[in-house]
Amino acid sequence: MSADFRELVELAAGQDGLLTTAQLRALGVDRSAQSRMCTRGLLDPVHRGVVRVAGAPITWRQRVRAACLADDRLAASHRSALRLWDMRTVDDEVEVTIRYPASRVLDGVGVHRSVDLDPRDVTHLEEIPVTSPARTLADAGLVFPAHEVRRLVDHSVAVGKVTKSELIDVRRRFSQHGRNGLVSLDLAIDALPAGAAETDSGPEVALLRLLADAGLPEPVRQHRVMIGGAPRFIDLAYPQVRLALEYDGNDPHTRVDRFESDRRRQNGLVLLGWTVLRYTHGDLRDRPHHVVRQIRSLLDL
């Protein structure tokens, strides 16, 4: 065997403990040597063409990666893609998609065949091929009820995983194939706040959703105000009562230059008679009713 076993272990460490037989051959480990290593318990077969280094812990991510390594036409999808994108964290299924009419059978893996799987719908997370967030949410309509798809869409737009315009594009492309599951996506898109496609950040969508659900008027997005002779912009504003709503996130607001600029802008707004309310993710998650009460009181509703 021309390759040192430690070299194999180092390569596998970046792949959840997995290696392909093609990678082994590239390292000088021919088929007979691979067979001997399996017999000696150094390698464990997972799928045809994929082995696991003995002792590597078996994890859900490893199972997903193994399925995708078994065939480069496969991409993690459906529940597996939702979990990889941190949209849902409770699913242990391994699901992948391959473009129809191709097919593949893998033990313990749900393989979907899709006539509309397009290269633009596949990206990579830590070198695992996975359907894009927009494509993943479209597929969610095939496995979850409409109310869950709406929750997934709301959350994904709110945290900036996907934009409303990206979802609309996927819906438009998939509708040409008469695709199942699009009704749930349609309902979820239609239920998004009116300004979801134009807001500056995902969390602003969450604030817009909160205001809309509370029956409050829709604020003006990126409202322009002249401060010290220079134009400045307010995330969300009610100009008629000079009320500015700002979202404080970890990025980019905590950068020193942005932090200082935001505070100078806030001081300028206050001097012009504006009230500035700043909210965080914790406010929107844990105290939404408090947020609504504060804004409602200043709107005099």
Side-chain angles (χ1 to χ4, degrees):
M1 181 172 62
S2 60
D4 189 280
F5 186 69
R6 285 175 296 182
E7 187 176 2
L8 306 185
V9 172
E10 289 175 2
L11 176 59
Q15 300 180 154
D16 295 298
L18 300 170
L19 294 166
T20 66
T21 55
Q23 289 173 329
L24 288 169
R25 287 196 300 271
L27 290 172
V29 184
D30 60 22
R31 182 174 299 180
S32 61
Q34 293 176 33
S35 178
R36 290 195 299 273
M37 294 176 76
C38 288
T39 300
R40 292 170 56 193
L42 297 175
L43 299 176
D44 297 321
V46 181
H47 298 300
R48 182 177 180 181
V50 182
V51 296
R52 177 177 53 250
V53 173
I58 300 175
T59 65
W60 171 83
R61 182 180 290 270
Q62 182 191 83
R63 293 165 54 215
V64 174
R65 190 188 293 273
C68 295
L69 285 174
D71 192 321
D72 60 12
R73 299 171 298 174
L74 296 171
S77 63
H78 297 75
R79 295 176 183 85
S80 291
L82 287 168
R83 182 167 171 179
L84 286 170
W85 288 115
D86 291 324
M87 296 177 188
R88 276 177 61 97
T89 59
V90 297
D91 301 307
D92 291 326
E93 295 90 342
V94 175
E95 293 181 278
V96 295
T97 293
I98 192 169
R99 184 176 176 85
Y100 181 87
S103 64
R104 186 67 194 266
V105 177
L106 296 172
D107 186 39
V109 178
V111 181
H112 301 267
R113 303 169 72 200
S114 173
V115 69
D116 51 29
L117 183 64
D118 190 277
R120 79 186 90 172
D121 294 323
V122 179
T123 185
H124 288 77
L125 283 175
E126 298 180 6
E127 299 184 3
I128 298 177
V130 57
T131 52
S132 69
R135 164 78 193 215
T136 299
L137 290 168
D139 288 338
L142 297 172
V143 293
F144 294 114
H147 67 83
E148 175 64 3
V149 175
R150 174 176 170 175
R151 187 194 69 79
L152 291 168
V153 168
D154 277 357
H155 171 75
S156 300
V157 173
V159 300
K161 295 273 187 192
V162 67
T163 65
K164 184 177 180 179
S165 58
E166 288 171 337
L167 291 172
I168 291 173
D169 176 66
V170 164
R171 178 179 63 182
R172 177 188 56 77
R173 289 192 289 112
F174 289 178
S175 64
Q176 298 172 2
H177 298 279
R179 195 176 196 272
N180 293 330
L182 284 185
V183 172
S184 295
L185 182 62
D186 284 342
L187 294 172
I189 293 173
D190 291 342
L192 285 169
E198 295 81 25
T199 48
D200 184 56
S201 69
E204 290 169 32
V205 177
L207 183 52
L208 278 173
R209 159 70 67 195
L210 180 62
L211 298 176
D213 288 349
L216 296 178
E218 181 184 346
V220 177
R221 299 172 296 279
Q222 294 300 304
H223 179 66
R224 185 175 183 267
V225 178
M226 297 299 294
I227 299 177
R232 304 300 295 271
F233 296 88
I234 303 171
D235 292 346
L236 302 172
Y238 291 101
Q240 68 275 21
V241 295
R242 295 201 173 191
L243 172 60
L245 307 178
E246 297 284 320
Y247 178 85
D248 283 334
N250 293 326
D251 183 27
H253 291 279
T254 51
R255 297 200 316 248
V256 173
D257 57 342
R258 181 64 180 267
F259 180 88
E260 293 178 349
S261 175
D262 281 353
R263 271 53 190 179
R264 288 193 294 268
R265 177 185 58 170
Q266 177 168 323
N267 290 342
L269 287 171
V270 171
L271 291 173
L272 290 174
W274 283 77
T275 298
V276 181
L277 296 180
R278 311 190 73 96
Y279 296 111
T280 65
H281 173 69
D283 291 323
L284 302 184
R285 181 193 62 205
D286 302 327
R287 306 196 307 159
H289 298 301
H290 174 74
V291 172
V292 169
R293 281 196 302 271
Q294 284 189 332
I295 296 172
R296 190 187 301 276
S297 68
L298 292 171
L299 292 177
D300 196 26
L301 296 175

